[in-house]
Amino acid sequence: MTASRRPIRRLDAGTVERIAAGEVVERPASVVKELLENAIDAEASHIVVRIDGGGIERIEVADDGVGIPPAELALALERHATSKLEGPDGLDAIRTLGFRGEALAAVASVSHLRLVSRARGEEAATGLESIGGVVGEPFLSARAPGTTVTVARLFFNTPARRKFLRPPAREQLEVVDTVERSYLALPRVGLELSANGSELLRLPASADLGEAAAHVLGPEFAAASIEVHQVEGPRVRVEGCFARPEVSRGSARGLYLSVNGRPIVSRPFAQSVRVAYADRLPRTRFPVGVLHLELDPSKVDVNVHPTKREVRFEREAELLEVTRRAVRAALEGGGPANLPSAPRDRFSATAPALERPLPEFLAPPAPGHHTSPLQSRLDAPSTPPKVLGAGAGPELALLGVVGRLYWLAESGEDLLLLDQHAASERLLFAQLLGGTALAQQRLVSPVSVRLTPREAGALSEHSSLFRSAGFEVEEVGGGTWWVRGVPSYRGRIAPAEELPRLLAELADGGRPAVPDGLAERRAASVACHAAVRAGDRIEPEEMRRILDAVYRLPGAPSTCPHGRPIALRLPRSRLDRWFGRSGI
Ligand code: ADP
Ligand code: MG
C-alpha cells in the first residue's frame, strides 16, 4: 500500500500515547490477521498461509512483498517501531493496514517466532529467531524476495491464555474466516491457505469482486448474486456484490464489510444493508454479500480499537444512507424476474401487494417473540397456546390438513391448528439433545456435494452430530464429498443438498434465535433441516405418530426450538361467540 518503502523507525512518545492500546493477540486467527496485514502493506501480490494444529502449533505466512533490509530486521520485532507512520500527524490519515509497530513484538513475546526476509535488491535473505521475545543473533538464509514469518507454540509461556483457546478445529475455522475476510476486502492480493499439509483455500488474485466473492461464498452464492454498482458519493465510493434474498444466512456473518481494503465489523453498516433487504427477508435471516467502501483516509479513524476491527467514520449517517441506497438499487435492478418460485417468494418483491405477507408466521421470530399476528387476530389466549399438555392427548382427533402445512384437529370440543414443521422440529430437537440418533436413509447412489472450506471445517468439527442426524458423508478430495446417507424422518427424506446449507449455519454457531446454549442452537439447526417442511405431504398415519410423540415429550413444550408456536387452540366458547351462538 505504501508507494515506496520507508525505513522502520521508533515512534515518538507522543504518538505512542495516542495509540489505542489493548491486546492484539488473542488466538491464532489474530496472529494470521496481523501477518496478512503486514504482507499486504509490503505490497505482496500473493500470500501463502500454512497452519498446523489450528494455528496453535504453527503458523507460517510467506509473501512476495518488498521485504525488510537486514539492518532493520531487529527493529521490526521491537515494540512501537514501524515503517508506516511519518511525522506527528501520521495517525490522522492512515493509509496502511498496520501503523502501531507492535504486532510482531506482541506475537514474538508469546511464541517461538522466526522472521526471514529478503529485501528487493538484496542477494540473500536474513533471519532472526525469538523465543518469548528474546531475540537471537541474525543468520543468513535463502529465499526469493519477500518475507516469511513463522510462529510456533503460541502462548507457550502464558498458560492462562492458552487455556482460553478452543479446540484446533474451531481455531482453524477462525483462521479460514480471517483469510477469507482479508481476501474479500482486497481481492487483488491472492491468498492460499493450507492446514496440516492439505490445501484449504486457493483464492486467486482478482480484479472482479463478483468472481472473488464466488470463490469464498460458493456456487450457490454465485448463481444468485447481484452486483452493487459503483456509487460515487461525494465522499465515498461504494461497490459490492450481494446474493438475492433466496440465499441468506441465520447470522450476520455472511456479510463481508471493508473500508479501504481493511475488513471491519460494523453494526450500523450491517444494519443499513439489512434495511435495504427489509421486506425481502424474514426477520431472522441475514443478507450474504461483500461491500467495499472507499473513502479519504482522513475521514475514517482506525485507531479506536486494539485489533482495528472497528472503525469510526466522519458523518457516518450519510455513508449509511449511501450504502442502503446502493444495495437497494441493486436488489431492485437484480429483479423479481430472476427469483425462483420457491416458497421464499413470499418474502420477496414478487408479492408486493401484501405489506407483510405473513412472514412472522412462517419465519422463526426473534427470541422472546411468541405470538404471531395471525394468532393475535384470532384473539387466542395471550399465554402461549397450551395444547399439548396433559389431558389434551387421548381425545385428540385429526380432521385434515390446510395448505399442506397446518393440521386441523379436534381436542375435546376445541379446534386445534398445528404447524407440521414446528411439531416435527420440536420432536427431532428433543431426540438429538437426548442423544438418540435420527433415522437414516441410505442413498442408492451417492450424491456429490461441493463444500467450501468453512463448511468442510464445520463438518469435521461436528461429525458426531451429523452422524446422529443421519448424514453419512465421505470425502472425495478437491472440495468434493459424497453424501451416502441422509436424515429420513416420518416419510420425508432430506435432500443431500441440505448438507452445505446446514454446515454453513453450524459454522455460524447454529440457530441464533434459540436462546439456550451452543449445543441447543446446533441441535436446533439440525432438527430444522431434518424436519418435515411446509408443503410436504404427510400420510395421516405419520401425522398421528408425530402427534403422539410430541405429546410424550417431557414438559409438554408448546413451541418449536426457536420459540414459534407448535399449535393454536380455538376454544369452543370462542367459536360459539364468532358464530353468534353465545348465550343461545
Ligand atoms: P506495523 O505493521 O504496525 O508497522 P508490525 O509489528 O506488524 O507493526 O511490523 C513492524 C514493521 O516490520 C513494519 O512496519 C514493517 O516495516 C516491517 N514488516 C513486518 N512484516 C513485514 C513484511 N511481511 N514485509 C515487509 N516488512 C514487514
Ligand atoms: Mg503490522
Side-chain angles (χ1 to χ4, degrees):
M1 291 207 145
T2 39
S4 66
R5 195 186 171 279
R6 286 190 291 231
I8 306 181
R9 297 215 179 96
R10 295 189 180 99
L11 292 173
D12 60 277
T15 308
V16 169
E17 263 169 32
R18 286 181 62 200
I19 278 173
E23 194 43 65
V24 295
V25 194
E26 286 167 339
R27 52 182 4 98
S30 30
V31 174
V32 170
K33 174 184 162 293
E34 294 293 339
L35 299 182
L36 287 177
E37 287 188 357
N38 282 347
I40 291 167
D41 283 344
E43 296 168 358
S45 56
H46 192 79
I47 308 172
V48 179
V49 183
R50 297 190 181 92
I51 61 169
D52 290 322
I56 304 168
E57 280 170 37
R58 193 167 157 280
I59 296 167
E60 184 186 284
V61 176
D63 68 53
D64 58 358
V66 295
I68 308 172
E72 293 173 33
L73 214 54
L75 265 181
L77 294 181
E78 231 180 73
R79 221 165 155 232
H80 302 311
T82 178
S83 58
K84 302 172 193 175
L85 281 191
E86 197 75 355
D89 301 328
L91 276 179
D92 298 330
I94 292 160
R95 290 169 197 283
T96 46
L97 296 176
F99 54 88
R100 295 176 180 139
E102 55 184 10
L104 283 183
V107 175
S109 71
V110 291
S111 67
H112 289 217
L113 182 143
R114 184 185 163 97
L115 169 65
V116 174
S117 190
R118 177 171 159 198
R120 287 183 191 160
E122 294 282 334
E123 293 284 297
T126 315
L128 273 182
E129 266 179 6
S130 146
I131 296 181
V134 180
V135 183
E137 288 300 312
F139 53 87
L140 275 183
S141 184
R143 120 189 256 304
T147 303
T148 303
V149 179
T150 314
V151 175
R153 302 190 59 199
L154 186 62
F155 299 146
F156 79 102
N157 53 356
T158 52
R161 278 207 256 170
R162 208 184 159 99
K163 225 169 46 199
F164 281 104
L165 293 176
R166 288 179 284 176
R170 186 74 218 170
E171 295 294 348
Q172 180 176 311
L173 265 184
E174 296 287 329
V175 172
V176 169
D177 191 58
T178 299
V179 173
E180 289 176 340
R181 282 182 194 278
S182 171
Y183 176 68
L184 289 185
L186 203 66
R188 68 171 161 74
V189 179
L191 285 168
E192 270 173 59
L193 171 67
S194 61
N196 309 316
S198 52
E199 180 176 286
L200 283 186
L201 299 176
R202 179 177 288 271
L203 306 170
S206 171
D208 182 327
L209 190 52
E211 188 187 289
H215 280 295
V216 171
L217 295 164
E220 201 194 13
F221 173 87
S225 70
I226 47 170
E227 208 180 307
V228 174
H229 294 289
Q230 264 191 18
V231 180
E232 301 264 3
R235 313 160 43 241
V236 64
R237 200 161 78 200
V238 178
E239 192 191 355
C241 181
F242 279 84
R244 287 194 301 260
E246 65 266 23
V247 174
S248 64
R249 287 258 187 101
S251 85
R253 292 192 68 166
L255 180 61
Y256 294 76
L257 288 175
S258 67
V259 184
N260 296 345
R262 176 194 305 282
I264 60 157
V265 287
S266 160
R267 279 177 81 82
F269 275 93
Q271 192 52 30
S272 73
V273 171
R274 233 178 146 201
V275 168
Y277 273 77
D279 52 348
R280 300 170 186 229
L281 277 181
R283 274 180 301 165
T284 47
R285 303 301 292 174
F286 293 76
V288 181
V290 187
L291 188 77
H292 284 184
L293 299 170
E294 265 176 62
L295 51 144
D296 182 335
S298 68
K299 308 292 181 209
V300 45
D301 187 359
V302 295
N303 184 29
V304 291
H305 191 265
T307 66
K308 301 165 281 187
R309 272 212 152 223
E310 283 163 38
V311 300
R312 204 159 33 206
F313 298 93
E314 210 178 280
R315 289 165 55 192
E316 185 177 79
E318 235 174 69
L319 298 178
L320 293 173
E321 183 56 19
V322 174
T323 301
R324 188 193 62 78
R325 282 214 205 121
V327 177
R328 185 73 194 175
L331 277 171
E332 275 159 6
N338 298 328
L339 291 168
S341 55
R344 283 186 202 184
D345 262 14
R346 289 170 214 274
F347 311 122
S348 78
T350 49
L354 292 172
E355 242 191 29
R356 281 191 87 73
L358 286 186
E360 287 88 345
F361 205 72
L362 294 169
H369 180 101
H370 287 282
T371 39
S372 69
L374 178 58
Q375 204 178 328
S376 42
R377 231 175 293 143
L378 291 175
D379 196 19
S382 56
T383 45
K386 197 171 174 51
V387 279
L388 303 166
E395 80 269 35
L396 190 115
L398 264 172
L399 304 176
V401 185
V402 182
R404 287 209 197 160
L405 170 59
Y406 300 114
W407 301 350
L408 214 57
E410 186 182 21
S411 161
E413 295 219 303
D414 298 344
L415 182 67
L416 287 185
L417 281 164
L418 294 105
D419 177 317
Q420 67 183 32
H421 175 67
S424 110
E425 191 179 7
R426 166 51 82 177
L427 197 59
L428 297 180
F429 176 69
Q431 288 186 3
L432 283 167
L433 280 186
T436 312
L438 308 186
Q440 189 197 57
Q441 173 71 52
R442 297 259 315 170
L443 300 175
V444 182
S445 48
V447 176
S448 97
V449 292
R450 288 190 62 78
L451 300 182
T452 65
R454 201 182 145 61
E455 291 160 358
L459 183 63
S460 75
E461 195 187 354
H462 306 297
S463 56
S464 65
L465 180 61
F466 273 95
R467 267 196 306 279
S468 53
F471 280 108
E472 191 183 320
V473 285
E474 185 189 313
E475 185 168 2
V476 183
T480 302
W481 271 255
W482 287 122
V483 180
R484 296 192 174 278
V486 293
S488 120
Y489 181 72
R490 309 285 187 215
R492 179 174 184 271
I493 292 171
E497 296 74 36
E498 288 274 305
L499 185 71
R501 254 173 264 159
L502 175 56
L503 287 166
E505 190 171 314
L506 287 179
D508 286 349
R511 284 289 144 114
V514 175
D516 302 315
L518 209 54
E520 282 78 5
R521 282 206 291 278
R522 291 186 179 132
S525 289
V526 175
C528 182
H529 284 259
V532 157
R533 287 288 157 87
D536 286 350
R537 192 195 293 276
I538 317 293
E539 297 300 320
E541 197 183 308
E542 302 290 345
M543 291 160 77
R544 188 75 247 176
R545 262 187 271 167
I546 292 180
L547 279 183
D548 285 350
V550 176
Y551 276 121
R552 274 188 253 105
L553 289 179
S558 59
T559 61
C560 78
H562 313 115
R564 216 150 49 78
I566 294 176
L568 178 70
R569 177 189 284 267
L570 293 173
R572 166 69 189 258
S573 56
R574 212 45 225 144
L575 294 174
D576 285 349
R577 246 180 294 151
W578 269 341
F579 290 100
R581 294 189 155 269
S582 30
I584 293 180

PDB file of all heavy atoms in Angstrom, residues 27 72 76 78 93 119 175 180 247 254 312 354 389 434 494 562:
ATOM      1  N   ARG A  27      -5.752 -15.137  19.673  1.00  0.00           N
ATOM      2  CA  ARG A  27      -5.859 -16.513  19.194  1.00  0.00           C
ATOM      3  C   ARG A  27      -5.114 -16.619  17.867  1.00  0.00           C
ATOM      4  O   ARG A  27      -4.685 -15.606  17.309  1.00  0.00           O
ATOM      5  CB  ARG A  27      -7.315 -16.894  19.027  1.00  0.00           C
ATOM      6  CG  ARG A  27      -8.136 -15.903  18.194  1.00  0.00           C
ATOM      7  CD  ARG A  27      -9.594 -16.279  18.094  1.00  0.00           C
ATOM      8  NE  ARG A  27      -9.882 -17.439  18.890  1.00  0.00           N
ATOM      9  CZ  ARG A  27     -10.402 -17.408  20.116  1.00  0.00           C
ATOM     10  NH1 ARG A  27     -10.734 -16.252  20.642  1.00  0.00           N
ATOM     11  NH2 ARG A  27     -10.617 -18.513  20.789  1.00  0.00           N
ATOM     12  N   GLU A  72      17.402  -3.560   9.359  1.00  0.00           N
ATOM     13  CA  GLU A  72      16.172  -3.168  10.076  1.00  0.00           C
ATOM     14  C   GLU A  72      15.433  -4.348  10.690  1.00  0.00           C
ATOM     15  O   GLU A  72      14.386  -4.179  11.330  1.00  0.00           O
ATOM     16  CB  GLU A  72      15.231  -2.427   9.117  1.00  0.00           C
ATOM     17  CG  GLU A  72      15.776  -1.093   8.687  1.00  0.00           C
ATOM     18  CD  GLU A  72      14.909  -0.447   7.601  1.00  0.00           C
ATOM     19  OE1 GLU A  72      13.687  -0.652   7.638  1.00  0.00           O
ATOM     20  OE2 GLU A  72      15.479   0.232   6.733  1.00  0.00           O
ATOM     21  N   ALA A  76      12.137  -4.491  13.438  1.00  0.00           N
ATOM     22  CA  ALA A  76      10.789  -4.974  13.107  1.00  0.00           C
ATOM     23  C   ALA A  76      10.160  -5.692  14.300  1.00  0.00           C
ATOM     24  O   ALA A  76       8.946  -5.678  14.472  1.00  0.00           O
ATOM     25  CB  ALA A  76      10.834  -5.895  11.894  1.00  0.00           C
ATOM     26  N   GLU A  78      10.764  -4.955  17.394  1.00  0.00           N
ATOM     27  CA  GLU A  78      10.712  -4.069  18.555  1.00  0.00           C
ATOM     28  C   GLU A  78       9.342  -3.428  18.672  1.00  0.00           C
ATOM     29  O   GLU A  78       8.709  -3.120  17.664  1.00  0.00           O
ATOM     30  CB  GLU A  78      11.758  -2.956  18.377  1.00  0.00           C
ATOM     31  CG  GLU A  78      12.658  -2.801  19.567  1.00  0.00           C
ATOM     32  CD  GLU A  78      13.661  -1.692  19.335  1.00  0.00           C
ATOM     33  OE1 GLU A  78      13.250  -0.521  19.362  1.00  0.00           O
ATOM     34  OE2 GLU A  78      14.845  -2.005  19.101  1.00  0.00           O
ATOM     35  N   ALA A  93      -4.337  10.273   9.153  1.00  0.00           N
ATOM     36  CA  ALA A  93      -4.756   9.766   7.845  1.00  0.00           C
ATOM     37  C   ALA A  93      -3.944   8.511   7.544  1.00  0.00           C
ATOM     38  O   ALA A  93      -2.943   8.549   6.848  1.00  0.00           O
ATOM     39  CB  ALA A  93      -4.547  10.824   6.764  1.00  0.00           C
ATOM     40  N   ALA A 119      14.997  -8.369   1.225  1.00  0.00           N
ATOM     41  CA  ALA A 119      14.513  -7.118   0.628  1.00  0.00           C
ATOM     42  C   ALA A 119      14.810  -7.157  -0.859  1.00  0.00           C
ATOM     43  O   ALA A 119      15.767  -7.802  -1.298  1.00  0.00           O
ATOM     44  CB  ALA A 119      15.203  -5.931   1.285  1.00  0.00           C
ATOM     45  N   VAL A 175      -9.353 -19.088  11.517  1.00  0.00           N
ATOM     46  CA  VAL A 175      -8.291 -18.716  10.578  1.00  0.00           C
ATOM     47  C   VAL A 175      -8.858 -18.660   9.158  1.00  0.00           C
ATOM     48  O   VAL A 175      -8.601 -17.710   8.409  1.00  0.00           O
ATOM     49  CB  VAL A 175      -7.093 -19.699  10.664  1.00  0.00           C
ATOM     50  CG1 VAL A 175      -6.092 -19.425   9.547  1.00  0.00           C
ATOM     51  CG2 VAL A 175      -6.424 -19.602  12.028  1.00  0.00           C
ATOM     52  N   GLU A 180     -10.426 -15.493   4.518  1.00  0.00           N
ATOM     53  CA  GLU A 180     -11.493 -15.150   3.565  1.00  0.00           C
ATOM     54  C   GLU A 180     -11.883 -13.677   3.668  1.00  0.00           C
ATOM     55  O   GLU A 180     -12.126 -13.010   2.661  1.00  0.00           O
ATOM     56  CB  GLU A 180     -12.720 -16.035   3.816  1.00  0.00           C
ATOM     57  CG  GLU A 180     -12.479 -17.470   3.394  1.00  0.00           C
ATOM     58  CD  GLU A 180     -13.640 -18.401   3.710  1.00  0.00           C
ATOM     59  OE1 GLU A 180     -14.480 -18.060   4.573  1.00  0.00           O
ATOM     60  OE2 GLU A 180     -13.701 -19.486   3.111  1.00  0.00           O
ATOM     61  N   VAL A 247     -30.877 -16.570  -1.102  1.00  0.00           N
ATOM     62  CA  VAL A 247     -29.694 -17.100  -0.416  1.00  0.00           C
ATOM     63  C   VAL A 247     -29.420 -16.180   0.772  1.00  0.00           C
ATOM     64  O   VAL A 247     -29.035 -15.037   0.602  1.00  0.00           O
ATOM     65  CB  VAL A 247     -28.467 -17.135  -1.343  1.00  0.00           C
ATOM     66  CG1 VAL A 247     -27.222 -17.556  -0.579  1.00  0.00           C
ATOM     67  CG2 VAL A 247     -28.716 -18.080  -2.502  1.00  0.00           C
ATOM     68  N   GLY A 254     -22.371 -13.652   7.198  1.00  0.00           N
ATOM     69  CA  GLY A 254     -22.238 -13.768   5.748  1.00  0.00           C
ATOM     70  C   GLY A 254     -22.016 -12.418   5.080  1.00  0.00           C
ATOM     71  O   GLY A 254     -21.951 -12.330   3.852  1.00  0.00           O
ATOM     72  N   ARG A 312     -14.180   4.266  13.106  1.00  0.00           N
ATOM     73  CA  ARG A 312     -15.154   5.331  13.289  1.00  0.00           C
ATOM     74  C   ARG A 312     -15.158   6.217  12.049  1.00  0.00           C
ATOM     75  O   ARG A 312     -14.098   6.522  11.501  1.00  0.00           O
ATOM     76  CB  ARG A 312     -14.758   6.156  14.510  1.00  0.00           C
ATOM     77  CG  ARG A 312     -15.931   6.879  15.124  1.00  0.00           C
ATOM     78  CD  ARG A 312     -15.716   7.274  16.560  1.00  0.00           C
ATOM     79  NE  ARG A 312     -14.339   7.608  16.864  1.00  0.00           N
ATOM     80  CZ  ARG A 312     -13.806   7.501  18.070  1.00  0.00           C
ATOM     81  NH1 ARG A 312     -14.517   7.039  19.061  1.00  0.00           N
ATOM     82  NH2 ARG A 312     -12.569   7.850  18.277  1.00  0.00           N
ATOM     83  N   LEU A 354     -48.978  -7.482  -0.608  1.00  0.00           N
ATOM     84  CA  LEU A 354     -49.124  -7.728   0.820  1.00  0.00           C
ATOM     85  C   LEU A 354     -48.035  -6.980   1.559  1.00  0.00           C
ATOM     86  O   LEU A 354     -46.868  -7.130   1.243  1.00  0.00           O
ATOM     87  CB  LEU A 354     -48.986  -9.225   1.112  1.00  0.00           C
ATOM     88  CG  LEU A 354     -50.101 -10.098   0.585  1.00  0.00           C
ATOM     89  CD1 LEU A 354     -49.732 -11.547   0.762  1.00  0.00           C
ATOM     90  CD2 LEU A 354     -51.391  -9.789   1.303  1.00  0.00           C
ATOM     91  N   GLY A 389     -50.454 -30.220  26.566  1.00  0.00           N
ATOM     92  CA  GLY A 389     -50.307 -30.601  27.961  1.00  0.00           C
ATOM     93  C   GLY A 389     -51.132 -31.839  28.275  1.00  0.00           C
ATOM     94  O   GLY A 389     -51.818 -32.403  27.428  1.00  0.00           O
ATOM     95  N   GLY A 434     -31.335 -35.556  23.441  1.00  0.00           N
ATOM     96  CA  GLY A 434     -31.352 -36.735  24.289  1.00  0.00           C
ATOM     97  C   GLY A 434     -30.367 -37.801  23.834  1.00  0.00           C
ATOM     98  O   GLY A 434     -30.308 -38.873  24.403  1.00  0.00           O
ATOM     99  N   ALA A 494     -34.507 -36.009   3.679  1.00  0.00           N
ATOM    100  CA  ALA A 494     -33.829 -34.727   3.467  1.00  0.00           C
ATOM    101  C   ALA A 494     -32.962 -34.830   2.219  1.00  0.00           C
ATOM    102  O   ALA A 494     -32.222 -35.792   2.061  1.00  0.00           O
ATOM    103  CB  ALA A 494     -32.972 -34.385   4.673  1.00  0.00           C
ATOM    104  N   HIS A 562     -37.205 -22.657  18.256  1.00  0.00           N
ATOM    105  CA  HIS A 562     -36.987 -21.215  18.078  1.00  0.00           C
ATOM    106  C   HIS A 562     -38.022 -20.380  18.806  1.00  0.00           C
ATOM    107  O   HIS A 562     -38.016 -19.162  18.706  1.00  0.00           O
ATOM    108  CB  HIS A 562     -37.069 -20.815  16.607  1.00  0.00           C
ATOM    109  CG  HIS A 562     -36.305 -21.696  15.710  1.00  0.00           C
ATOM    110  ND1 HIS A 562     -36.906 -22.480  14.754  1.00  0.00           N
ATOM    111  CD2 HIS A 562     -34.997 -21.938  15.637  1.00  0.00           C
ATOM    112  CE1 HIS A 562     -35.985 -23.169  14.130  1.00  0.00           C
ATOM    113  NE2 HIS A 562     -34.818 -22.865  14.636  1.00  0.00           N
TER     114      HIS A 562
END
